[in-house]
């Protein structure tokens, strides 16, 4: 069964498995002890730190291992904010950061700090100069800025080097979440702090990296510990750390060749999906992106149903659709980009993915999408684009009551009736699903209609669409 969700967690690399088993036998002792077994464990830990630091591009004494990538993010942000409290209490992040960064920002706000979210364009990329502008316009002294190296949902690579220069000019440290990109190469630019997670590159789960450059003011906010420079308390999971470092070195040795091969497979998916499936939007930057990841959204499709059907067809993929989450709100990444969220599919290919598996996925996808659309009563592509019968004269305005209905039903009902108003007529959709705020404007852009905005309505929101085509 092809596994196409490496962005969530990559399969364990063979080198990681071998190193893990070896370290279980050799690295079980306390590395802080001076007897033979402890010295052997210390040698393994020091070698792992040196290997990881080389891959990150920092000194070994600047890097500590944490129990997870999320823990690295939380500790990194909290430590930098605490260390620079005198400089100010303002935090700058991009609107498409990983949820761990946004959760840390929310905790900072709850503690009395302030946060600015830097917007992104429709490809999910921060604009040049955006961080410089955010630094200038901050309501108070800025303690820290955060920017991911590449987006975890759409693969867009961020201008980290440029943002780092902008932050350095303002004497503000930049924390980079490199979880998605570190396996493909080092993070460029004059960053101050960096975090990553081993299970994203084929290492074992439960190992994160936190690098803090010398000279960056940092104060650990949790109780101090003698291990990991006092920044990550608790007994080190040495076998997992050894496996994480060994696999990072291995994947980096393979990265150039594998990136070129996977980029070709992803290009095929990006090109073929819109040809094979009507009413699809491929999202993310088409050029400046990770080599193994592609995301697209399908109109008139329930994201959860689509994932279930692809699973039945033996394909494991992920989604940012609101229909796949317990909160029924669309992905904050897709929302910040302003793109379609319904029927969203993220395909992230692990190293070694076979070309035949991608071809089989492309062959299965049209039938899967068509089946889900048919069950939901979605209009056929020809019906959605057809001109209405001019007789009898239609009413110039219609109201569609979609209150209590979840994605993608409000958009399906809009598509079914848009032809019942003349060109220039208006359809008002009443909906209380948060995803409609994103998906109705996205539908208008895809179908050549005019979105005229929203207004409050009883128990929901009224979205106005004027027929232009």
């Amino acid at each position: 069964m092809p596994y196409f969700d490496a962005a969530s967690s990559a399969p364990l690399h063979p080198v990681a498995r071998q190193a893990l088993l070896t370290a279980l036998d050799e690295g079980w002792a306390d590395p802080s002890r001076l007897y033979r077994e402890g010295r052997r464990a210390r040698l393994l830990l020091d070698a792992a730190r040196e290997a990881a630091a080389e891959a990150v591009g920092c000194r070994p004494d600047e890097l500590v291992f944490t129990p997870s990538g999320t823990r690295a993010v939380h500790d990194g942000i909290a430590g930098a904010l605490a260390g620079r409290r005198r400089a100010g209490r303002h935090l700058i992040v991009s609107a498409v950061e990983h949820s761990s960064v946004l959760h840390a920002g929310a905790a900072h706000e709850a503690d009395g700090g302030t946060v600015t979210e830097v917007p992104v364009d429709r490809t999910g990329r921060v604009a040049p100069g955006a961080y410089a502008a955010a630094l200038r316009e901050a309501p108070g002294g800025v303690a820290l800025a955060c920017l991911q190296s590449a987006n975890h949902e759409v693969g867009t690579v961020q201008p980290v080097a440029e943002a780092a220069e902008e932050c350095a000019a303002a004497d503000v440290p930049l924390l980079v979440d490199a979880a998605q990109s570190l396996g493909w190469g080092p993070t460029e630019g004059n960053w101050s702090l960096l975090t990553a997670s081993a299970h994203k590159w084929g290492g074992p789960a439960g190992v994160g990296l936190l690098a803090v450059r010398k000279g960056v003011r940092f104060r650990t906010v949790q109780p101090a510990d003698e291990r990991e420079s006092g920044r990550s308390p608790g007994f080190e999971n040495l076998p997992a750390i050894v496996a994480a470092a060994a696999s990072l070195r291995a994947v980096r040795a393979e990265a150039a060749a594998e990136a070129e091969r996977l980029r070709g497979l992803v290009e095929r998916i990006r090109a073929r999906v819109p040809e094979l499936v009507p009413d699809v939007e491929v999202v993310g930057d088409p050029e400046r992106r990770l080599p193994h990841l592609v995301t697209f959204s399908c109109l008139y499709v329930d994201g959860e149903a689509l994932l279930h059907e692809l699973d039945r067809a033996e394909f494991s993929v992920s989604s940012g659709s609101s229909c796949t989450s317990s909160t029924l709100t669309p992905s904050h990444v897709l929302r910040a980009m302003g793109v379609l969220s319904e029927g969203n599919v993220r395909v992230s290919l692990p190293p070694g993915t076979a070309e035949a598996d991608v071809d089989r996925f492309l062959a299965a996808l049209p039938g899967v999408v068509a089946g889900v659309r048919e069950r939901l009563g979605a209009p056929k592509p020809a019906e959605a684009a057809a001109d209405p019968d001019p007789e009898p004269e239609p009413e110039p305005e219609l109201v569609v009551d979609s209150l209590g209905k979840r994605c993608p039903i409000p958009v399906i009902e809009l598509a079914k009736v848009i032809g019942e108003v003349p060109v220039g007529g208006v359809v008002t959709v009443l909906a209380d699903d948060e995803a409609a705020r994103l998906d109705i404007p996205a539908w208008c852009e895809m179908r050549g209609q005019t979105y005229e905005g929203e207004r409050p309505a009883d128990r929901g929101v009224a979205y106005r669409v004027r027929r232009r085509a």
Side-chain angles (χ1 to χ4, degrees):
M1 179 172 178
Y3 176 78
F4 289 171
D5 194 22
S8 291
S9 189
L12 192 67
H13 194 282
V15 168
R17 183 183 301 278
Q18 181 181 6
L20 181 63
L21 293 175
T22 300
L24 285 171
D25 291 332
E26 300 293 329
W28 50 267
D30 188 342
S32 67
R33 299 308 179 207
L34 298 180
Y35 42 71
R36 180 175 50 221
E37 295 86 354
R39 294 196 306 272
R40 185 185 301 131
R42 169 56 62 181
L43 288 173
L44 289 173
L45 180 59
D46 289 346
R49 197 183 314 278
E50 290 176 5
E54 181 183 5
V56 168
C58 67
R59 292 168 34 165
D61 60 350
E62 293 175 330
L63 184 143
V64 299
F65 296 104
T66 66
S68 69
T70 294
R71 185 78 261 171
V73 166
H74 289 173
D75 289 350
I77 292 176
L81 290 173
R84 286 178 45 83
R85 192 178 181 97
R86 290 184 180 180
R89 300 215 61 203
H90 194 68
L91 173 67
I92 295 175
V93 303
S94 83
V96 293
E97 294 297 312
H98 188 269
S99 59
S100 61
V101 174
L102 301 185
H103 291 159
H108 178 58
E109 284 187 303
D111 192 42
T114 54
V115 178
T116 292
E117 284 194 6
V118 177
V120 297
D121 61 19
R122 196 170 175 83
T123 71
R125 200 167 194 263
V126 170
Y131 270 64
L135 289 163
R136 288 194 305 269
E137 299 165 6
V142 179
L144 178 67
C146 301
L147 179 62
Q148 61 192 189
S149 56
N151 187 259
H152 50 290
E153 289 194 28
V154 300
T156 297
V157 173
Q158 299 292 356
V160 170
E162 293 89 336
E165 291 303 318
E166 294 167 9
C167 291
D171 197 26
V172 172
L174 177 70
L175 182 147
V176 177
D177 171 17
Q180 287 297 333
S181 69
L182 190 60
W184 298 108
T187 301
E188 297 181 356
N190 188 28
W191 50 265
S192 303
L193 303 96
L194 182 141
T195 64
S197 185
H199 73 101
K200 301 292 187 180
W201 67 67
V207 179
L209 306 181
L210 170 61
V212 182
R213 296 281 198 198
K214 294 295 182 182
V216 175
R217 295 187 66 86
F218 191 95
R219 181 168 65 85
T220 304
V221 297
Q222 55 194 337
D225 190 290
E226 67 275 10
R227 300 177 189 275
E228 293 302 298
S229 304
R231 292 176 179 171
S232 184
F235 197 93
E236 298 95 343
N237 185 351
L238 186 53
I241 288 172
V242 170
S247 58
L248 180 56
R249 175 174 285 178
V251 298
R252 288 286 281 274
E254 304 161 355
E258 193 64 10
E260 182 178 359
R261 193 181 72 84
L262 292 182
R263 190 177 291 277
L265 296 179
V266 165
E267 288 289 359
R268 185 181 308 178
I269 297 173
R270 290 181 65 89
R272 291 291 290 151
V273 166
E275 297 173 353
L276 296 169
V277 182
D279 297 318
V280 164
E281 182 178 17
V282 180
V283 300
D285 195 296
E287 299 295 334
R288 294 168 295 194
R289 56 177 175 77
L290 293 171
H292 69 305
L293 194 156
V294 56
T295 301
F296 55 89
S297 298
C298 308
L299 273 176
Y300 319 131
V301 170
D302 176 338
E304 187 169 8
L306 182 56
L307 294 197
H308 283 314
E309 290 303 311
L310 286 171
D311 182 60
R312 291 178 61 184
E314 298 189 336
F315 295 99
S316 301
V317 299
S318 185
S319 174
S321 290
S322 61
C323 302
T324 64
S325 69
S326 59
T327 61
L328 291 177
T329 57
S331 149
H332 71 277
V333 172
L334 300 179
R335 184 170 63 244
M337 293 167 62
V339 298
L340 184 70
S341 73
E342 67 185 46
N344 179 260
V345 174
R346 180 184 70 179
V347 175
S348 48
L349 307 177
T353 297
E355 183 177 345
D357 288 338
V358 171
D359 290 339
R360 193 160 67 83
F361 173 78
L362 291 171
L365 183 67
V368 169
V369 174
V372 175
R373 285 174 171 169
E374 184 176 3
R375 289 200 301 274
L376 292 173
K380 298 290 192 299
E383 295 173 358
D387 289 331
D389 190 339
E391 296 295 339
E393 185 70 21
E395 293 293 330
E397 183 167 353
L398 284 177
V399 175
V400 176
D401 187 350
S402 292
L403 294 170
K405 300 174 182 178
R406 299 301 178 189
C407 68
I409 300 303
V411 178
I412 289 176
E413 294 183 339
L414 167 62
K416 285 183 172 180
V417 304
I418 191 69
E420 297 178 17
V421 298
V423 173
V426 172
V427 176
T428 297
V429 182
L430 303 177
D432 53 5
D433 179 14
E434 179 65 25
R437 179 168 279 113
L438 186 62
D439 289 349
I440 289 177
W443 177 88
C444 290
E445 181 164 334
M446 293 176 69
R447 303 303 302 165
Q449 311 299 346
T450 301
Y451 177 65
E452 295 197 335
E454 63 180 66
R455 58 178 172 79
D458 292 342
R459 298 186 296 115
V461 178
Y463 301 91
R464 284 176 56 85
V465 177
R466 187 172 299 278
R467 184 176 174 216
R468 190 174 70 203

